[in-house]
Structures are given as C-alpha cells and as structure tokens.
Amino acid sequence: MAQDYVMLKGETANGVIAINKSVFQSIAEISIDDVENAIRLKEAAFSKPVSVKIEDNKLNVAADIKVKYGASVAATCELVQNKIYENILFMTGFKANNVAINVTGFEF
C-alpha cells in the first residue's frame, strides 16, 4: 500500500522524523518553474501534473510539462529531471528513486 510520507530517521526516543509527499510535490513544481524552457501544467479537477508515489520508503516522481516551441525537448527534460532530483536531495536530504518527465505538448 502507498504511504503518504517518507521516514527520514527511524524511531528514536523523541519520535519519528518523516516528510509528507505534498512537500516533494511542491519542490518538484518549484523546480519545473526554475527551468527556462519548461512550462508546468495547471492542475485540473481530476488530474495532477506532478504526482508523487511512495512505496517501501522509495520516492517516485512523475511530472507532466510543456516545452517552449523551438527548444530541445531532450535537453529540457534532462534539465527538469536533474533540477527536481537535486532540489529534493538538497532540501530534504532524501534521494528520489525515479524522476519521470512526460512532455504533453508545446507552448507557442
């Protein structure tokens, strides 16, 4: 069953340190906005452009983006993927297991 959090440290005398998956989602959204040629999709009623799944304390992130017309799709996706991975690692100290980028279209 999927979890809603990632445990950073096991149980200690003071409790457990864990991060909710909404934190990872926010970091991914901010990371997409930082890349020049990537455009984050708007959240709709039944779809989320950035999804985070946690299974067995492993973090999997999937993001749907649009790429600006004329920009290299491969280079843009690689930049977004690296930015999300690095920001999650820098801000939380947790390594993402998988970061998948899906291009849904182009922005003219």
Side-chain angles (χ1 to χ4, degrees):
M1 178 173 233
Q3 298 172 318
D4 285 338
Y5 60 89
V6 170
M7 289 183 39
L8 294 180
K9 291 186 179 178
E11 192 166 334
T12 63
N14 296 326
V16 176
I17 298 176
I19 299 177
N20 193 314
K21 69 180 185 179
S22 64
V23 173
F24 297 111
Q25 182 177 353
S26 296
I27 292 171
E29 290 172 350
I30 291 168
S31 299
I32 294 168
D33 292 340
D34 285 346
V35 176
E36 182 180 354
N37 293 322
I39 299 166
R40 180 170 45 106
L41 300 178
K42 303 283 187 241
E43 194 167 309
F46 295 107
S47 69
K48 292 188 177 186
V50 177
S51 65
V52 176
K53 293 184 180 175
I54 301 169
E55 295 176 1
D56 298 327
N57 219 34
K58 292 183 179 179
L59 177 67
N60 299 308
V61 180
D64 296 336
I65 64 168
K66 284 187 175 182
V67 176
K68 287 186 181 176
Y69 182 76
S72 170
V73 173
T76 302
C77 288
E78 185 177 354
L79 281 172
V80 171
Q81 190 175 34
N82 289 337
K83 191 76 152 172
I84 290 172
Y85 181 83
E86 290 171 358
N87 283 346
I88 287 174
L89 181 62
F90 178 72
M91 292 181 192
T92 66
F94 193 79
K95 291 183 180 179
N97 183 47
N98 185 25
V99 178
I101 307 300
N102 304 312
V103 177
T104 61
F106 295 94
E107 187 77 21
F108 293 98

